[in-house]
Amino acid sequence: PYFNRELHVARIIRAYCEEIKPDIIICEGIQDLADIVYDNPYPCPKIVQLHSEPSVFFTKKKSKLFKKVLKLADVVQVLWPSFVKSIQQYYAGKVAVIGNPVPGYNQAKRHQPIIIYPGRMEDSKQQHLLIEAFFQNRKGFSGVANPFLGRAE
């Protein structure tokens, strides 16, 4: 059984979809897809983006639900070719590899580099390795602003 919060969210999303009639829905993860498809028969293609190693989403607690939910996705988009084999353990549909290049900027116009990392901080993503590597290799980045934005779990 799905919890009251998820049912409430799903009903809001369903009403919104019926109102705006989207041509396609792009979800930022499996939980977002679950929120969209639960109690939502709206007929349009649904894409789910997985920007982390897919196996981290399939914990004992969520594995059964997420496998069921993924069957309702039309496409799963992953960042790296190495993620394809991993997601295929849980999803038999179409998988697209679309990288996430960060466009360059003209650093000569900046006095100080700015690094932004949008996203949720969580143990399974191992962001601490990124932070540790950054501080070990700060040459040329002495005046860098290090804002962390978002929710941590």
Side-chain angles (χ1 to χ4, degrees):
Y2 225 35
F3 303 105
N4 287 335
R5 177 219 162 269
E6 284 82 359
L7 180 58
H8 178 71
V9 168
R11 287 182 176 159
I12 291 170
I13 292 170
R14 181 181 63 204
Y16 188 66
C17 285
E18 289 170 356
E19 179 183 331
I20 65 167
K21 299 178 180 20
D23 296 309
I24 191 165
I25 296 173
I26 301 173
C27 303
E28 292 285 330
I30 303 171
Q31 182 62 57
D32 292 343
L33 179 64
D35 289 343
I36 293 288
V37 299
Y38 182 76
D39 197 38
N40 186 7
Y42 192 79
C44 72
K46 295 164 188 74
I47 298 171
V48 65
Q49 298 176 313
L50 299 181
H51 292 180
S52 296
E53 207 311 308
S55 63
V56 303
F57 297 102
F58 294 91
T59 62
K60 287 182 181 179
K61 184 178 178 182
K62 298 269 185 163
S63 185
K64 187 176 180 181
L65 171 66
F66 281 179
K67 285 180 187 178
K68 185 176 179 180
V69 165
L70 268 181
K71 289 180 182 179
L72 301 172
D74 293 280
V75 178
V76 172
Q77 180 258 320
V78 295
L79 286 181
W80 303 106
S82 61
F83 290 178
V84 173
K85 188 174 182 178
S86 179
I87 193 60
Q88 287 174 335
Q89 296 175 48
Y90 311 101
Y91 175 72
K94 184 176 180 181
V95 178
V97 177
I98 302 173
N100 190 15
V102 177
Y105 64 92
N106 186 348
Q107 191 170 359
K109 292 181 180 179
R110 293 193 176 269
H111 299 288
Q112 156 184 14
I114 298 172
I115 299 171
I116 297 175
Y117 181 88
R120 186 176 63 248
M121 302 290 282
E122 62 181 55
D123 289 341
S124 66
K125 291 184 179 182
Q126 299 184 347
Q127 289 109 329
H128 68 282
L129 297 175
L130 176 67
I131 295 165
E132 289 169 6
F134 175 77
F135 283 107
Q136 289 173 3
N137 299 295
R138 284 187 70 134
K139 292 180 183 174
F141 292 98
S142 61
V144 172
N146 296 305
F148 287 90
L149 309 171
R151 194 174 83 206
E153 291 184 3

PDB file of all heavy atoms in Angstrom, residues 13 17 22-27 32-38 40-49 69-77 91 94:
ATOM      1  N   ILE A  13      -0.917  15.867  -8.726  1.00  0.00           N
ATOM      2  CA  ILE A  13      -0.268  15.754 -10.038  1.00  0.00           C
ATOM      3  C   ILE A  13      -1.275  15.360 -11.104  1.00  0.00           C
ATOM      4  O   ILE A  13      -1.276  15.897 -12.216  1.00  0.00           O
ATOM      5  CB  ILE A  13       0.905  14.753  -9.976  1.00  0.00           C
ATOM      6  CG1 ILE A  13       2.027  15.330  -9.108  1.00  0.00           C
ATOM      7  CG2 ILE A  13       1.403  14.409 -11.375  1.00  0.00           C
ATOM      8  CD1 ILE A  13       3.113  14.341  -8.777  1.00  0.00           C
ATOM      9  N   CYS A  17      -2.079  17.420 -14.437  1.00  0.00           N
ATOM     10  CA  CYS A  17      -1.923  16.836 -15.775  1.00  0.00           C
ATOM     11  C   CYS A  17      -3.216  16.949 -16.579  1.00  0.00           C
ATOM     12  O   CYS A  17      -3.188  17.248 -17.777  1.00  0.00           O
ATOM     13  CB  CYS A  17      -1.500  15.371 -15.674  1.00  0.00           C
ATOM     14  SG  CYS A  17       0.217  15.130 -15.207  1.00  0.00           S
ATOM     15  N   PRO A  22      -0.057  17.613 -20.612  1.00  0.00           N
ATOM     16  CA  PRO A  22       1.314  17.576 -21.138  1.00  0.00           C
ATOM     17  C   PRO A  22       1.453  16.567 -22.286  1.00  0.00           C
ATOM     18  O   PRO A  22       0.739  15.569 -22.348  1.00  0.00           O
ATOM     19  CB  PRO A  22       2.141  17.127 -19.926  1.00  0.00           C
ATOM     20  CG  PRO A  22       1.188  16.360 -19.080  1.00  0.00           C
ATOM     21  CD  PRO A  22      -0.143  17.026 -19.268  1.00  0.00           C
ATOM     22  N   ASP A  23       2.372  16.861 -23.182  1.00  0.00           N
ATOM     23  CA  ASP A  23       2.671  15.959 -24.287  1.00  0.00           C
ATOM     24  C   ASP A  23       3.685  14.902 -23.869  1.00  0.00           C
ATOM     25  O   ASP A  23       3.771  13.839 -24.486  1.00  0.00           O
ATOM     26  CB  ASP A  23       3.209  16.744 -25.483  1.00  0.00           C
ATOM     27  CG  ASP A  23       2.162  17.698 -26.028  1.00  0.00           C
ATOM     28  OD1 ASP A  23       1.024  17.238 -26.281  1.00  0.00           O
ATOM     29  OD2 ASP A  23       2.463  18.891 -26.161  1.00  0.00           O
ATOM     30  N   ILE A  24       4.478  15.224 -22.876  1.00  0.00           N
ATOM     31  CA  ILE A  24       5.506  14.307 -22.374  1.00  0.00           C
ATOM     32  C   ILE A  24       5.801  14.694 -20.924  1.00  0.00           C
ATOM     33  O   ILE A  24       5.677  15.861 -20.552  1.00  0.00           O
ATOM     34  CB  ILE A  24       6.779  14.372 -23.247  1.00  0.00           C
ATOM     35  CG1 ILE A  24       7.728  13.243 -22.908  1.00  0.00           C
ATOM     36  CG2 ILE A  24       7.446  15.722 -23.152  1.00  0.00           C
ATOM     37  CD1 ILE A  24       8.812  13.044 -23.945  1.00  0.00           C
ATOM     38  N   ILE A  25       6.169  13.718 -20.126  1.00  0.00           N
ATOM     39  CA  ILE A  25       6.541  13.977 -18.736  1.00  0.00           C
ATOM     40  C   ILE A  25       7.953  13.453 -18.527  1.00  0.00           C
ATOM     41  O   ILE A  25       8.242  12.295 -18.834  1.00  0.00           O
ATOM     42  CB  ILE A  25       5.568  13.293 -17.751  1.00  0.00           C
ATOM     43  CG1 ILE A  25       4.163  13.886 -17.900  1.00  0.00           C
ATOM     44  CG2 ILE A  25       6.065  13.445 -16.314  1.00  0.00           C
ATOM     45  CD1 ILE A  25       3.086  13.164 -17.097  1.00  0.00           C
ATOM     46  N   ILE A  26       8.836  14.316 -18.015  1.00  0.00           N
ATOM     47  CA  ILE A  26      10.211  13.929 -17.717  1.00  0.00           C
ATOM     48  C   ILE A  26      10.385  13.959 -16.207  1.00  0.00           C
ATOM     49  O   ILE A  26      10.171  14.990 -15.574  1.00  0.00           O
ATOM     50  CB  ILE A  26      11.223  14.877 -18.396  1.00  0.00           C
ATOM     51  CG1 ILE A  26      11.001  14.862 -19.916  1.00  0.00           C
ATOM     52  CG2 ILE A  26      12.653  14.470 -18.035  1.00  0.00           C
ATOM     53  CD1 ILE A  26      11.827  15.878 -20.656  1.00  0.00           C
ATOM     54  N   CYS A  27      10.761  12.823 -15.650  1.00  0.00           N
ATOM     55  CA  CYS A  27      10.919  12.685 -14.193  1.00  0.00           C
ATOM     56  C   CYS A  27      12.397  12.653 -13.842  1.00  0.00           C
ATOM     57  O   CYS A  27      13.190  12.017 -14.527  1.00  0.00           O
ATOM     58  CB  CYS A  27      10.255  11.405 -13.715  1.00  0.00           C
ATOM     59  SG  CYS A  27       8.514  11.314 -14.147  1.00  0.00           S
ATOM     60  N   ASP A  32      10.080  10.268  -8.388  1.00  0.00           N
ATOM     61  CA  ASP A  32       9.250  11.237  -9.104  1.00  0.00           C
ATOM     62  C   ASP A  32       8.314  10.525 -10.079  1.00  0.00           C
ATOM     63  O   ASP A  32       7.153  10.901 -10.219  1.00  0.00           O
ATOM     64  CB  ASP A  32      10.112  12.242  -9.864  1.00  0.00           C
ATOM     65  CG  ASP A  32      10.881  13.171  -8.938  1.00  0.00           C
ATOM     66  OD1 ASP A  32      10.522  13.253  -7.753  1.00  0.00           O
ATOM     67  OD2 ASP A  32      11.836  13.807  -9.410  1.00  0.00           O
ATOM     68  N   LEU A  33       8.825   9.499 -10.762  1.00  0.00           N
ATOM     69  CA  LEU A  33       7.978   8.716 -11.654  1.00  0.00           C
ATOM     70  C   LEU A  33       6.864   8.039 -10.864  1.00  0.00           C
ATOM     71  O   LEU A  33       5.711   8.011 -11.296  1.00  0.00           O
ATOM     72  CB  LEU A  33       8.806   7.672 -12.409  1.00  0.00           C
ATOM     73  CG  LEU A  33       8.022   6.768 -13.364  1.00  0.00           C
ATOM     74  CD1 LEU A  33       7.412   7.568 -14.508  1.00  0.00           C
ATOM     75  CD2 LEU A  33       8.915   5.660 -13.898  1.00  0.00           C
ATOM     76  N   ALA A  34       7.190   7.526  -9.679  1.00  0.00           N
ATOM     77  CA  ALA A  34       6.166   6.896  -8.836  1.00  0.00           C
ATOM     78  C   ALA A  34       5.076   7.902  -8.486  1.00  0.00           C
ATOM     79  O   ALA A  34       3.886   7.577  -8.532  1.00  0.00           O
ATOM     80  CB  ALA A  34       6.801   6.323  -7.566  1.00  0.00           C
ATOM     81  N   ASP A  35       5.469   9.121  -8.148  1.00  0.00           N
ATOM     82  CA  ASP A  35       4.487  10.155  -7.829  1.00  0.00           C
ATOM     83  C   ASP A  35       3.598  10.469  -9.030  1.00  0.00           C
ATOM     84  O   ASP A  35       2.409  10.751  -8.884  1.00  0.00           O
ATOM     85  CB  ASP A  35       5.181  11.441  -7.369  1.00  0.00           C
ATOM     86  CG  ASP A  35       5.821  11.313  -6.005  1.00  0.00           C
ATOM     87  OD1 ASP A  35       5.492  10.377  -5.259  1.00  0.00           O
ATOM     88  OD2 ASP A  35       6.686  12.161  -5.682  1.00  0.00           O
ATOM     89  N   ILE A  36       4.165  10.422 -10.230  1.00  0.00           N
ATOM     90  CA  ILE A  36       3.419  10.724 -11.452  1.00  0.00           C
ATOM     91  C   ILE A  36       2.449   9.600 -11.812  1.00  0.00           C
ATOM     92  O   ILE A  36       1.294   9.842 -12.121  1.00  0.00           O
ATOM     93  CB  ILE A  36       4.395  10.950 -12.643  1.00  0.00           C
ATOM     94  CG1 ILE A  36       5.226  12.209 -12.439  1.00  0.00           C
ATOM     95  CG2 ILE A  36       3.657  10.971 -13.971  1.00  0.00           C
ATOM     96  CD1 ILE A  36       4.484  13.502 -12.595  1.00  0.00           C
ATOM     97  N   VAL A  37       2.913   8.360 -11.780  1.00  0.00           N
ATOM     98  CA  VAL A  37       2.095   7.258 -12.296  1.00  0.00           C
ATOM     99  C   VAL A  37       1.109   6.699 -11.279  1.00  0.00           C
ATOM    100  O   VAL A  37       0.127   6.075 -11.648  1.00  0.00           O
ATOM    101  CB  VAL A  37       2.956   6.106 -12.865  1.00  0.00           C
ATOM    102  CG1 VAL A  37       3.798   6.598 -14.025  1.00  0.00           C
ATOM    103  CG2 VAL A  37       3.795   5.449 -11.801  1.00  0.00           C
ATOM    104  N   TYR A  38       1.341   6.926 -10.003  1.00  0.00           N
ATOM    105  CA  TYR A  38       0.423   6.410  -8.997  1.00  0.00           C
ATOM    106  C   TYR A  38      -0.906   7.153  -9.102  1.00  0.00           C
ATOM    107  O   TYR A  38      -0.959   8.371  -9.008  1.00  0.00           O
ATOM    108  CB  TYR A  38       1.005   6.575  -7.591  1.00  0.00           C
ATOM    109  CG  TYR A  38       0.111   5.999  -6.519  1.00  0.00           C
ATOM    110  CD1 TYR A  38       0.056   4.622  -6.336  1.00  0.00           C
ATOM    111  CD2 TYR A  38      -0.670   6.801  -5.719  1.00  0.00           C
ATOM    112  CE1 TYR A  38      -0.760   4.065  -5.365  1.00  0.00           C
ATOM    113  CE2 TYR A  38      -1.488   6.261  -4.748  1.00  0.00           C
ATOM    114  CZ  TYR A  38      -1.529   4.894  -4.575  1.00  0.00           C
ATOM    115  OH  TYR A  38      -2.340   4.345  -3.620  1.00  0.00           O
ATOM    116  N   ASN A  40      -2.571   7.851 -11.616  1.00  0.00           N
ATOM    117  CA  ASN A  40      -2.528   8.846 -12.691  1.00  0.00           C
ATOM    118  C   ASN A  40      -2.507   8.142 -14.051  1.00  0.00           C
ATOM    119  O   ASN A  40      -1.445   7.816 -14.570  1.00  0.00           O
ATOM    120  CB  ASN A  40      -1.291   9.732 -12.559  1.00  0.00           C
ATOM    121  CG  ASN A  40      -1.305  10.868 -13.570  1.00  0.00           C
ATOM    122  OD1 ASN A  40      -2.273  11.086 -14.274  1.00  0.00           O
ATOM    123  ND2 ASN A  40      -0.209  11.577 -13.645  1.00  0.00           N
ATOM    124  N   PRO A  41      -3.660   7.936 -14.627  1.00  0.00           N
ATOM    125  CA  PRO A  41      -3.705   7.246 -15.920  1.00  0.00           C
ATOM    126  C   PRO A  41      -3.425   8.160 -17.110  1.00  0.00           C
ATOM    127  O   PRO A  41      -3.653   7.772 -18.238  1.00  0.00           O
ATOM    128  CB  PRO A  41      -5.148   6.733 -15.955  1.00  0.00           C
ATOM    129  CG  PRO A  41      -5.922   7.763 -15.191  1.00  0.00           C
ATOM    130  CD  PRO A  41      -4.978   8.237 -14.103  1.00  0.00           C
ATOM    131  N   TYR A  42      -2.935   9.371 -16.877  1.00  0.00           N
ATOM    132  CA  TYR A  42      -2.767  10.319 -17.973  1.00  0.00           C
ATOM    133  C   TYR A  42      -1.884   9.714 -19.073  1.00  0.00           C
ATOM    134  O   TYR A  42      -0.739   9.322 -18.822  1.00  0.00           O
ATOM    135  CB  TYR A  42      -2.184  11.647 -17.484  1.00  0.00           C
ATOM    136  CG  TYR A  42      -2.281  12.691 -18.557  1.00  0.00           C
ATOM    137  CD1 TYR A  42      -3.481  13.340 -18.789  1.00  0.00           C
ATOM    138  CD2 TYR A  42      -1.215  12.970 -19.378  1.00  0.00           C
ATOM    139  CE1 TYR A  42      -3.603  14.260 -19.815  1.00  0.00           C
ATOM    140  CE2 TYR A  42      -1.334  13.893 -20.405  1.00  0.00           C
ATOM    141  CZ  TYR A  42      -2.528  14.529 -20.612  1.00  0.00           C
ATOM    142  OH  TYR A  42      -2.645  15.432 -21.638  1.00  0.00           O
ATOM    143  N   PRO A  43      -2.407   9.644 -20.295  1.00  0.00           N
ATOM    144  CA  PRO A  43      -1.715   8.930 -21.384  1.00  0.00           C
ATOM    145  C   PRO A  43      -0.734   9.802 -22.173  1.00  0.00           C
ATOM    146  O   PRO A  43      -1.095  10.388 -23.171  1.00  0.00           O
ATOM    147  CB  PRO A  43      -2.872   8.491 -22.277  1.00  0.00           C
ATOM    148  CG  PRO A  43      -3.881   9.599 -22.120  1.00  0.00           C
ATOM    149  CD  PRO A  43      -3.747  10.074 -20.686  1.00  0.00           C
ATOM    150  N   CYS A  44       0.501   9.869 -21.720  1.00  0.00           N
ATOM    151  CA  CYS A  44       1.539  10.535 -22.498  1.00  0.00           C
ATOM    152  C   CYS A  44       2.850   9.814 -22.186  1.00  0.00           C
ATOM    153  O   CYS A  44       2.956   9.132 -21.169  1.00  0.00           O
ATOM    154  CB  CYS A  44       1.624  12.020 -22.182  1.00  0.00           C
ATOM    155  SG  CYS A  44       2.318  12.428 -20.588  1.00  0.00           S
ATOM    156  N   PRO A  45       3.844   9.940 -23.044  1.00  0.00           N
ATOM    157  CA  PRO A  45       5.129   9.288 -22.774  1.00  0.00           C
ATOM    158  C   PRO A  45       5.764   9.827 -21.492  1.00  0.00           C
ATOM    159  O   PRO A  45       5.680  11.017 -21.194  1.00  0.00           O
ATOM    160  CB  PRO A  45       5.987   9.656 -23.992  1.00  0.00           C
ATOM    161  CG  PRO A  45       5.018  10.049 -25.047  1.00  0.00           C
ATOM    162  CD  PRO A  45       3.821  10.619 -24.334  1.00  0.00           C
ATOM    163  N   LYS A  46       6.403   8.912 -20.765  1.00  0.00           N
ATOM    164  CA  LYS A  46       7.063   9.273 -19.511  1.00  0.00           C
ATOM    165  C   LYS A  46       8.521   8.836 -19.585  1.00  0.00           C
ATOM    166  O   LYS A  46       8.815   7.680 -19.857  1.00  0.00           O
ATOM    167  CB  LYS A  46       6.361   8.626 -18.334  1.00  0.00           C
ATOM    168  CG  LYS A  46       4.940   9.166 -18.156  1.00  0.00           C
ATOM    169  CD  LYS A  46       4.110   8.280 -17.246  1.00  0.00           C
ATOM    170  CE  LYS A  46       2.658   8.728 -17.239  1.00  0.00           C
ATOM    171  NZ  LYS A  46       1.935   8.393 -18.464  1.00  0.00           N
ATOM    172  N   ILE A  47       9.414   9.785 -19.345  1.00  0.00           N
ATOM    173  CA  ILE A  47      10.856   9.529 -19.350  1.00  0.00           C
ATOM    174  C   ILE A  47      11.346   9.689 -17.926  1.00  0.00           C
ATOM    175  O   ILE A  47      10.979  10.646 -17.246  1.00  0.00           O
ATOM    176  CB  ILE A  47      11.600  10.529 -20.258  1.00  0.00           C
ATOM    177  CG1 ILE A  47      11.118  10.386 -21.703  1.00  0.00           C
ATOM    178  CG2 ILE A  47      13.110  10.341 -20.156  1.00  0.00           C
ATOM    179  CD1 ILE A  47      11.643  11.470 -22.623  1.00  0.00           C
ATOM    180  N   VAL A  48      12.185   8.768 -17.492  1.00  0.00           N
ATOM    181  CA  VAL A  48      12.793   8.919 -16.170  1.00  0.00           C
ATOM    182  C   VAL A  48      14.301   9.057 -16.363  1.00  0.00           C
ATOM    183  O   VAL A  48      14.908   8.319 -17.123  1.00  0.00           O
ATOM    184  CB  VAL A  48      12.427   7.758 -15.213  1.00  0.00           C
ATOM    185  CG1 VAL A  48      12.985   6.437 -15.671  1.00  0.00           C
ATOM    186  CG2 VAL A  48      12.866   8.053 -13.803  1.00  0.00           C
ATOM    187  N   GLN A  49      14.879  10.059 -15.703  1.00  0.00           N
ATOM    188  CA  GLN A  49      16.312  10.308 -15.786  1.00  0.00           C
ATOM    189  C   GLN A  49      16.973   9.752 -14.529  1.00  0.00           C
ATOM    190  O   GLN A  49      16.520  10.042 -13.417  1.00  0.00           O
ATOM    191  CB  GLN A  49      16.594  11.802 -15.864  1.00  0.00           C
ATOM    192  CG  GLN A  49      16.007  12.464 -17.074  1.00  0.00           C
ATOM    193  CD  GLN A  49      16.230  13.968 -17.053  1.00  0.00           C
ATOM    194  OE1 GLN A  49      15.999  14.623 -16.050  1.00  0.00           O
ATOM    195  NE2 GLN A  49      16.683  14.502 -18.176  1.00  0.00           N
ATOM    196  N   VAL A  69       7.115   0.384 -10.865  1.00  0.00           N
ATOM    197  CA  VAL A  69       6.969   1.730 -11.405  1.00  0.00           C
ATOM    198  C   VAL A  69       7.730   1.877 -12.722  1.00  0.00           C
ATOM    199  O   VAL A  69       7.216   2.454 -13.685  1.00  0.00           O
ATOM    200  CB  VAL A  69       7.442   2.778 -10.370  1.00  0.00           C
ATOM    201  CG1 VAL A  69       7.654   4.141 -11.000  1.00  0.00           C
ATOM    202  CG2 VAL A  69       6.446   2.876  -9.229  1.00  0.00           C
ATOM    203  N   LEU A  70       8.934   1.353 -12.789  1.00  0.00           N
ATOM    204  CA  LEU A  70       9.744   1.509 -14.007  1.00  0.00           C
ATOM    205  C   LEU A  70       9.093   0.875 -15.230  1.00  0.00           C
ATOM    206  O   LEU A  70       9.324   1.309 -16.348  1.00  0.00           O
ATOM    207  CB  LEU A  70      11.140   0.918 -13.801  1.00  0.00           C
ATOM    208  CG  LEU A  70      12.194   1.883 -13.297  1.00  0.00           C
ATOM    209  CD1 LEU A  70      13.548   1.194 -13.162  1.00  0.00           C
ATOM    210  CD2 LEU A  70      12.327   3.110 -14.158  1.00  0.00           C
ATOM    211  N   LYS A  71       8.269  -0.137 -15.028  1.00  0.00           N
ATOM    212  CA  LYS A  71       7.566  -0.757 -16.162  1.00  0.00           C
ATOM    213  C   LYS A  71       6.677   0.255 -16.874  1.00  0.00           C
ATOM    214  O   LYS A  71       6.333   0.070 -18.036  1.00  0.00           O
ATOM    215  CB  LYS A  71       6.727  -1.940 -15.685  1.00  0.00           C
ATOM    216  CG  LYS A  71       7.546  -3.135 -15.267  1.00  0.00           C
ATOM    217  CD  LYS A  71       6.651  -4.264 -14.796  1.00  0.00           C
ATOM    218  CE  LYS A  71       7.495  -5.442 -14.331  1.00  0.00           C
ATOM    219  NZ  LYS A  71       6.684  -6.544 -13.836  1.00  0.00           N
ATOM    220  N   LEU A  72       6.301   1.324 -16.181  1.00  0.00           N
ATOM    221  CA  LEU A  72       5.419   2.334 -16.752  1.00  0.00           C
ATOM    222  C   LEU A  72       6.178   3.466 -17.443  1.00  0.00           C
ATOM    223  O   LEU A  72       5.572   4.370 -18.007  1.00  0.00           O
ATOM    224  CB  LEU A  72       4.504   2.894 -15.656  1.00  0.00           C
ATOM    225  CG  LEU A  72       3.626   1.823 -14.986  1.00  0.00           C
ATOM    226  CD1 LEU A  72       2.895   2.409 -13.793  1.00  0.00           C
ATOM    227  CD2 LEU A  72       2.657   1.213 -15.977  1.00  0.00           C
ATOM    228  N   ALA A  73       7.504   3.413 -17.412  1.00  0.00           N
ATOM    229  CA  ALA A  73       8.321   4.416 -18.117  1.00  0.00           C
ATOM    230  C   ALA A  73       8.448   4.010 -19.579  1.00  0.00           C
ATOM    231  O   ALA A  73       8.564   2.829 -19.899  1.00  0.00           O
ATOM    232  CB  ALA A  73       9.700   4.514 -17.481  1.00  0.00           C
ATOM    233  N   ASP A  74       8.425   4.997 -20.454  1.00  0.00           N
ATOM    234  CA  ASP A  74       8.633   4.721 -21.878  1.00  0.00           C
ATOM    235  C   ASP A  74      10.110   4.659 -22.223  1.00  0.00           C
ATOM    236  O   ASP A  74      10.518   3.933 -23.119  1.00  0.00           O
ATOM    237  CB  ASP A  74       7.935   5.799 -22.714  1.00  0.00           C
ATOM    238  CG  ASP A  74       6.430   5.706 -22.547  1.00  0.00           C
ATOM    239  OD1 ASP A  74       5.814   4.857 -23.192  1.00  0.00           O
ATOM    240  OD2 ASP A  74       5.884   6.481 -21.727  1.00  0.00           O
ATOM    241  N   VAL A  75      10.907   5.444 -21.497  1.00  0.00           N
ATOM    242  CA  VAL A  75      12.360   5.491 -21.702  1.00  0.00           C
ATOM    243  C   VAL A  75      13.018   5.795 -20.363  1.00  0.00           C
ATOM    244  O   VAL A  75      12.491   6.592 -19.585  1.00  0.00           O
ATOM    245  CB  VAL A  75      12.765   6.586 -22.719  1.00  0.00           C
ATOM    246  CG1 VAL A  75      14.275   6.650 -22.886  1.00  0.00           C
ATOM    247  CG2 VAL A  75      12.093   6.379 -24.054  1.00  0.00           C
ATOM    248  N   VAL A  76      14.174   5.181 -20.135  1.00  0.00           N
ATOM    249  CA  VAL A  76      15.014   5.559 -19.004  1.00  0.00           C
ATOM    250  C   VAL A  76      16.281   6.167 -19.590  1.00  0.00           C
ATOM    251  O   VAL A  76      16.937   5.565 -20.444  1.00  0.00           O
ATOM    252  CB  VAL A  76      15.356   4.351 -18.102  1.00  0.00           C
ATOM    253  CG1 VAL A  76      16.394   4.737 -17.060  1.00  0.00           C
ATOM    254  CG2 VAL A  76      14.101   3.828 -17.421  1.00  0.00           C
ATOM    255  N   GLN A  77      16.605   7.379 -19.150  1.00  0.00           N
ATOM    256  CA  GLN A  77      17.813   8.067 -19.615  1.00  0.00           C
ATOM    257  C   GLN A  77      18.865   7.971 -18.520  1.00  0.00           C
ATOM    258  O   GLN A  77      18.597   8.259 -17.358  1.00  0.00           O
ATOM    259  CB  GLN A  77      17.504   9.525 -19.925  1.00  0.00           C
ATOM    260  CG  GLN A  77      18.710  10.320 -20.408  1.00  0.00           C
ATOM    261  CD  GLN A  77      19.314  11.202 -19.327  1.00  0.00           C
ATOM    262  OE1 GLN A  77      18.615  11.817 -18.544  1.00  0.00           O
ATOM    263  NE2 GLN A  77      20.625  11.254 -19.285  1.00  0.00           N
ATOM    264  N   TYR A  91      14.949  -3.115 -15.531  1.00  0.00           N
ATOM    265  CA  TYR A  91      14.077  -2.495 -16.527  1.00  0.00           C
ATOM    266  C   TYR A  91      14.383  -3.076 -17.893  1.00  0.00           C
ATOM    267  O   TYR A  91      15.532  -3.067 -18.330  1.00  0.00           O
ATOM    268  CB  TYR A  91      14.324  -0.979 -16.520  1.00  0.00           C
ATOM    269  CG  TYR A  91      13.590  -0.186 -17.573  1.00  0.00           C
ATOM    270  CD1 TYR A  91      12.220   0.020 -17.489  1.00  0.00           C
ATOM    271  CD2 TYR A  91      14.276   0.382 -18.647  1.00  0.00           C
ATOM    272  CE1 TYR A  91      11.550   0.759 -18.444  1.00  0.00           C
ATOM    273  CE2 TYR A  91      13.614   1.134 -19.607  1.00  0.00           C
ATOM    274  CZ  TYR A  91      12.255   1.316 -19.496  1.00  0.00           C
ATOM    275  OH  TYR A  91      11.600   2.059 -20.441  1.00  0.00           O
ATOM    276  N   LYS A  94      13.322   0.626 -23.199  1.00  0.00           N
ATOM    277  CA  LYS A  94      14.329   1.400 -23.913  1.00  0.00           C
ATOM    278  C   LYS A  94      15.163   2.227 -22.940  1.00  0.00           C
ATOM    279  O   LYS A  94      14.634   2.892 -22.054  1.00  0.00           O
ATOM    280  CB  LYS A  94      13.644   2.322 -24.920  1.00  0.00           C
ATOM    281  CG  LYS A  94      14.615   3.105 -25.777  1.00  0.00           C
ATOM    282  CD  LYS A  94      13.901   3.921 -26.829  1.00  0.00           C
ATOM    283  CE  LYS A  94      14.923   4.679 -27.649  1.00  0.00           C
ATOM    284  NZ  LYS A  94      14.288   5.508 -28.670  1.00  0.00           N
TER     285      LYS A  94
END
